[in-house]
Structure formats: structure tokens, C-alpha cells
Amino acid sequence: MQEKKGKGFLLGGPAGTGANGPQEGDIRLRDERGNWHVVQGIPLYPPLYTDRSATIAVIDSGILADHPQIRGLIAEQEDFTGEGPEDRIGHGTIVAILTLQARSAAPPEFQNLPSPRILVAKVADADGTVDKHAVISAIDWAASRGAVVVNLSLGFIEGTDDYSDLCSAITKHPEVLFVAAAGNYGPDVRVYPAACAQDGAANIISVGTTDDWSGKGDIQAPGTVTLKPLEP
């Protein structure tokens, strides 16, 4: 758990990447011939967003906007790393695709709702390292673009005083619901920004998995993501 001050990592462990996600290898969304891998259980080619769509921001490693499970849903994207907006490690694309799972799993009366309008902010560089100041800038950018939900599958594990500015960036946007990963370091390790809730932020929910390496979240659920080749 050694980190440089102000630097964090992406969190979560989709299948094939290990418990610490991209820190142990990229998520392969294309094979050597360029064919797509897709997330099992989520439909292909979702309907486009409309003026009735909710706006969701994914602050992560960027996006592969042509992926067949997310194509047409990216309203805006912004790069806060200097590398360009493309997702070089797959994590952000997977997270963006998973935002659609809530819609597909909703009760029948909500199934006809339009797809969300997705904002993508890239804050993780090609090795999965995240800069705190980039995250703060991305939060402000997402809020200014009308996001009602912001997903933060990333974390920092230093002390409370080191992340008071990150928590402040969240609390100054009370109209936005933030959803943050509880961490990959077990239930006894505080991970920011998820731990901002313990420091008084009322507009953030922490999410963990049922695996023993997960942090303790307000919500715990199975965390496995399975990728499969796209059928021709």
C-alpha cells in the first residue's frame, strides 16, 4: 500500500485483472486481431440518450468510445492527464459500461427509460496512477456539465488531513450524488474519497464487494465482472 503523496490508484478487480485491478495488468477489451471483448450480461448497442436522460459522470481512466456496449452514449469527455482521452488500460470503459447495468436490472416500469448521458473525465494515466488535483478538477468539471451522479472507482490511502480538499470538492456540490469505491485493502483501511462520508460528506455513498479484500462500503455486492469475446 505504498503511495506517493497525492497519488492514488484505480480500484476494483474485473475478471482477469486480479484484486487490485489495473495495477496488476491491463483489461483487454480487444484481442490481437482487434475484435472486441464485451461485459457479460449487458446488452450491445444501447439506445441513444435523449433530453430526458440523466447525466452520469465517470471519473476514471478515460473511454474507448467505440465499444459496442457504450457507443453513442458519451456526451462529453475531458482529459486531465495530458495523455489524451482514450482509455489505455480498459478500466474506465468497463466502469462506463457498468453504469448501464442499473437500467437493465431495473423493475419493468423503468425499463423504457432512455440510456444515461455519460460524461467521461480521464484522471488515471497509462499505469493506473491517479493525481488528487486532477480528480478535484474533474469533479468541478462534471458538476459544471450537469452531472447528477459521479462515479469514482479510485482511491487514496493517506491521512484525513491530506484529503480534506478532496472532500471539500465533493461537499461543495450537494446537488450531485457521488459513488466511490470502498477500496481494495480490506475493511479496516480508510480510502478516500469514499471515507469523506465518515468525515461529514452527506452526498457520497461508498460501494464495496463481498470479497475479503474489499473495503467496507455503505453497499456491498458481488464484484466480479466477466468479459467474453463478441460473437460474430
Side-chain angles (χ1 to χ4, degrees):
M1 297 193 301
Q2 296 298 314
E3 298 185 23
K4 295 180 180 178
K5 189 175 181 63
K7 301 293 183 180
F9 297 102
L10 298 171
L11 298 172
T17 66
N20 289 327
Q23 298 172 69
E24 298 187 0
D26 298 350
I27 301 167
R28 303 299 179 185
L29 289 173
R30 287 187 185 271
D31 64 20
E32 62 278 2
R33 294 173 294 179
N35 298 317
W36 288 110
H37 290 167
V38 297
V39 179
Q40 187 169 298
I42 296 180
L44 299 175
Y45 311 110
L48 300 181
Y49 63 83
T50 73
D51 56 5
R52 296 174 50 240
S53 296
T55 300
I56 297 174
V58 176
I59 298 178
D60 211 283
S61 64
I63 191 77
L64 294 175
D66 286 338
H67 190 282
Q69 290 177 302
I70 203 73
R71 186 181 304 162
L73 300 188
I74 309 304
E76 294 185 65
Q77 49 188 320
E78 189 74 19
D79 173 37
F80 293 89
T81 68
E83 292 184 343
E86 185 173 75
D87 185 4
R88 299 189 181 188
I89 52 182
H91 192 276
T93 303
I94 292 286
V95 170
I97 291 169
L98 290 176
T99 64
L100 304 179
Q101 192 169 35
R103 178 179 178 274
S104 62
E109 61 267 30
F110 296 105
Q111 290 291 333
N112 292 326
L113 290 176
S115 297
R117 175 179 179 268
I118 299 177
L119 308 174
V120 176
K122 180 175 176 178
V123 297
D125 62 22
D127 66 1
T129 302
V130 178
D131 180 80
K132 178 186 69 170
H133 298 291
V135 175
I136 292 172
S137 295
I139 287 171
D140 289 337
W141 173 81
S144 74
R145 297 304 192 273
V148 295
V149 178
V150 172
N151 188 88
L152 295 157
S153 294
L154 51 85
F156 306 83
I157 54 174
E158 296 170 36
T160 302
D161 292 342
D162 296 310
Y163 293 97
S164 59
D165 51 354
L166 179 56
C167 295
S168 294
I170 289 169
T171 57
K172 81 175 184 178
H173 299 293
E175 74 286 359
V176 181
L177 174 64
F178 292 84
V179 180
N184 295 352
Y185 310 111
D188 299 324
V189 177
R190 285 163 60 94
V191 173
Y192 286 86
C196 292
Q198 301 171 41
D199 296 339
N203 58 328
I204 187 166
I205 296 173
S206 60
V207 178
T209 79
T210 52
D211 300 283
D212 58 9
W213 47 261
S214 175
K216 182 175 175 56
D218 298 312
I219 299 172
Q220 305 279 144
T224 300
V225 175
T226 302
L227 300 179
K228 64 176 185 177
L230 178 61
E231 298 294 335

